Amino acid sequence: NLRTGDYGTYVGSNSDSYYNNSSNGVAIGYQAQHNHNGGVSVGYQAGASMNGQSDYVTLIGYQAGYDLDGGDNCTFVGYQAGYAGGSGSDNVGVGTYSLDALTSGFDNTAIGNQSLGGVTSGDDNVGVGDSAGSGITLSSYNTAVGSNAATTSVGGDNNTLLGNNAEPSSTSVSNEITFGNSNVTTLRCNVTSISSLSDERDKTNIQDIQYGLSFINDLR
């Protein structure tokens, strides 16, 4: 398919470039196909069904990024990592089946076997650990760290789940932090209280105190 591009490297039967004017691309493996510019595809059918202009994408593994549909700056490493590809940019999937269902989500980071494996259009999610965040599909800004953390449905946004099998309190909750699973019996920390965020811009009922200096002088 290459017509006018420069500095390309192709090794393997039917290894190719998606665009005929692609430059600086590398495709190694049977039907491996790199994207528009600066792409690297290594592995059997890595990027083979690519559709849409994508730049600076790295695909390494059997069918990694197989059906990438225009996302830029993506990195998929592992057996069928980023398989569905998607049109979103700046996604990273490292591990077997990591981010393999992706369609349009962007800025997702998955590290571990099947991590964020259910994400389709969700954005800015992080999954670190075996199957971490595999229950996230359409929601965004969730963080799951730990083996099997957030494997049940996570329908809300901005949740943080830390620890083995850590799960949200419900499938629709948002803005929640969960430490560990139901087997955790002790929470240890050098401090004994959690300070809340306080900002005048968040307050709606600010009033002047009615007491004067004499009251302050009497305080202990």
Side-chain angles (χ1 to χ4, degrees):
N1 189 44
L2 193 64
R3 300 291 185 272
T4 60
D6 301 318
Y7 314 115
T9 301
Y10 304 92
V11 180
S13 175
N14 296 111
S15 58
D16 204 357
S17 165
Y18 173 68
Y19 274 11
N20 58 28
N21 64 343
S22 301
S23 297
N24 307 307
V26 176
I28 300 177
Y30 175 77
Q31 291 186 344
Q33 183 173 247
H34 75 75
N35 51 64
H36 186 217
N37 285 317
V40 175
S41 295
V42 179
Y44 175 91
Q45 291 187 335
S49 185
M50 192 178 297
N51 180 29
Q53 180 175 329
S54 298
D55 292 316
Y56 315 116
V57 171
T58 300
L59 311 174
I60 300 176
Y62 181 102
Q63 293 183 333
Y66 178 81
D67 196 23
L68 191 67
D69 294 328
D72 298 326
N73 309 310
C74 293
T75 300
F76 299 124
V77 179
Y79 181 94
Q80 291 190 345
Y83 177 85
S87 58
S89 298
D90 306 310
N91 292 296
V92 176
V94 179
T96 301
Y97 301 119
S98 58
L99 281 173
D100 64 328
L102 197 63
T103 56
S104 60
F106 58 85
D107 292 330
N108 295 288
T109 301
I111 301 176
N113 173 54
Q114 297 182 337
S115 53
L116 297 186
V119 172
T120 55
S121 59
D123 307 321
D124 297 279
N125 295 294
V126 175
V128 180
D130 182 63
S131 298
S134 58
I136 302 169
T137 55
L138 309 177
S139 53
S140 302
Y141 310 110
N142 295 294
T143 300
V145 179
S147 178
N148 294 302
T151 58
T152 59
S153 177
V154 180
D157 300 323
N158 195 38
N159 295 297
T160 300
L161 304 106
L162 305 177
N164 175 51
N165 285 303
E167 299 290 354
S169 60
S170 75
T171 59
S172 60
V173 68
S174 294
N175 306 312
E176 180 182 82
I177 296 177
T178 300
F179 294 121
N181 55 38
S182 59
N183 294 321
V184 175
T185 58
T186 303
L187 178 63
R188 298 181 65 242
C189 186
N190 191 50
V191 295
T192 58
S193 63
I194 298 177
S195 299
S196 62
L197 297 175
S198 181
D199 192 315
E200 183 177 7
R201 292 169 296 182
D202 297 329
K203 313 303 182 186
T204 60
N205 186 24
I206 299 176
Q207 300 179 19
D208 293 332
I209 191 170
Q210 59 182 334
Y211 305 110
L213 181 60
S214 59
F215 173 80
I216 299 298
N217 288 333
D218 290 336
L219 288 178
R220 296 186 62 191

